[in-house]
Amino acid sequence: MSAKIISGKEIAAQIREELRKEVAGMKEKYGVVPGLVTILVGKNPASVSYVTGKQKTAHELGFNSIQDDQPEDISEEDLLSIVDKYNKDPKIHGVLVQLPLPGHINEKKILNAITPDKDVDCFHPVNVGRMMIGGDEVKFLPCTPAGIQELIVRSGYETSGAEVVVVGRSNIVGKPIANIMLQKGKGANATVTVVHTGTKNLEEHCKRADILIVAAGVPGLVKPEWIKPGACVIDVGVNRVGEKKSEKTGRMIPILKGDVDFDAAKEIAGAITPVPGGVGPMTITMLMKNTVKAMKDTLKS
Ligand code: GUN
């Protein structure tokens, strides 16, 4: 039987609608809207496309959204003072510096300069620590892992007691999603295994998974025979494997492929995310959710 397709597009649209109403309500009640700045250094085409998507969504939800473009050769010192300016701006609740940064800039230094209260990416060590402690210590959750958790919960898969296998150990996806899944509470409480390039028998681990989360960045890495029948498969891979002409615009667009062989896997899995249209739309949506949270937290203090 063919798997249920988990549409990140549809689930993201539902959450955005919830956020849009919340933002309108807060504007009416408190006269404030969430403020998000996205800082882009240079013109890397993938980064331009990501920040354009973030700004478009922020605008649609009624945010005060600012796109701050900086030249490729900006100095580290100047970038730090831009971050500092937004850290101090009361109309801005979320500060995001799009990665990767050019080689002459120390990425860690820039990310650590964002005040943790406005770190809507949840990349700052203080927020990573809070996430790891869990419970009411959590300020933000990182966007892609938070989106993955929403996809699993909203598509009706039980995580409590489930065998969750995470393929990949990046700081942005693998490590945080493993951590989120092992916390106590709803949408978590799982038995988690993390496999990576140093793992001896990848296939055997994947075969045990009730929920398989793949974030390796290797197109087609996970073969259909590695999937337990009925498992929930979340494919985080967005690999550009070529280009094609868009039927809509006639322009050349990238051909995207996930880390899982989708066509074959969907005949075995119980549910699976497509690429594109799975995890991708959720990442931007969770960024918006974090920005709303950052704003709400300022009303409390
Ligand atoms: N570059 C690719 N993904 C991300 C992300 O989630 N946040 C930031 N800041 N940069 C990225």
Side-chain angles (χ1 to χ4, degrees):
M1 207 182 80
S2 209
K4 168 183 165 184
I5 308 301
I6 303 174
S7 169
K9 240 177 162 173
E10 280 171 23
I11 295 174
Q14 277 168 24
I15 300 172
R16 284 177 199 184
E17 188 49 27
E18 293 163 14
L19 289 172
R20 204 185 52 74
K21 285 188 187 145
E22 194 177 358
V23 169
M26 306 274 272
K27 186 177 177 184
E28 202 174 299
K29 195 165 172 197
Y30 301 106
V32 216
V33 293
L36 173 69
V37 61
T38 50
I39 304 168
L40 175 65
V41 178
K43 290 192 165 54
N44 173 315
S47 295
V48 170
S49 153
Y50 287 136
V51 292
T52 305
K54 290 168 188 177
Q55 280 298 321
K56 184 170 170 277
T57 311
H59 190 73
E60 281 165 7
L61 297 187
F63 286 21
N64 165 29
S65 55
I66 299 175
Q67 174 56 37
D68 189 330
D69 289 317
Q70 294 297 330
E72 180 84 24
D73 61 355
I74 186 173
S75 68
E76 189 175 280
E77 199 188 344
D78 285 352
L79 188 55
L80 283 169
S81 57
I82 289 168
V83 168
D84 188 49
K85 178 181 81 173
Y86 292 118
N87 277 344
K88 290 178 179 146
D89 184 341
K91 287 205 169 93
I92 293 296
H93 307 96
V95 178
L96 180 144
V97 178
Q98 187 65 26
L99 304 178
L101 288 170
H104 66 279
I105 295 177
N106 182 338
E107 219 160 77
K108 206 158 98 179
K109 206 165 162 186
I110 301 295
L111 294 180
N112 291 0
I114 298 172
T115 185
D117 287 350
K118 297 190 180 187
D119 168 40
V120 284
D121 259 328
C122 192
F123 288 168
H124 194 288
V126 165
N127 286 325
V128 175
R130 286 172 174 162
M131 173 198 64
M132 183 149 183
I133 293 168
D136 59 10
E137 194 67 47
V138 176
K139 169 89 179 168
F140 301 115
L141 290 179
C143 304
T144 302
I148 294 170
Q149 188 182 35
E150 286 281 354
L151 286 178
I152 297 169
V153 170
R154 290 189 187 230
S155 57
Y157 267 78
E158 181 56 78
T159 53
S160 185
E163 290 278 348
V164 171
V165 176
V166 177
V167 183
R169 56 176 156 184
S170 68
N171 287 331
I172 295 187
V173 187
K175 283 186 208 166
I177 189 61
N179 200 271
I180 289 167
M181 283 290 136
L182 65 78
Q183 299 291 346
K184 278 191 176 165
K186 190 174 174 279
N189 207 30
T191 302
V192 182
T193 306
V194 183
V195 298
H196 45 76
T197 45
T199 301
K200 290 208 176 86
N201 44 3
L202 211 56
E203 179 175 346
E204 291 312 310
H205 287 290
C206 291
K207 277 179 174 166
R208 281 191 296 105
D210 301 312
I211 299 172
L212 181 62
I213 301 169
V214 193
V218 181
L221 172 75
V222 171
K223 307 288 175 271
E225 60 274 20
W226 297 14
I227 296 168
K228 181 173 165 179
C232 173
V233 179
I234 306 289
D235 188 352
V236 191
V238 185
N239 306 291
R240 292 176 179 233
V241 295
E243 282 196 327
K244 64 177 179 189
K245 206 171 185 176
S246 161
E247 281 173 23
K248 261 196 215 157
T249 64
R251 271 186 280 162
M252 295 306 281
I253 53 168
I255 301 170
L256 302 177
K257 196 165 185 279
D259 289 351
V260 179
D261 177 353
F262 178 82
D263 289 333
K266 77 177 192 318
E267 300 307 320
I268 298 164
I272 187 166
T273 55
V275 177
V279 175
M282 294 299 290
T283 299
I284 295 186
T285 303
M286 301 323 280
L287 174 71
M288 302 301 136
K289 192 171 173 185
N290 280 349
T291 309
V292 171
K293 164 125 186 5
M295 185 198 83
K296 285 198 290 194
D297 287 353
T298 63
L299 298 174
K300 281 187 216 154
S301 54

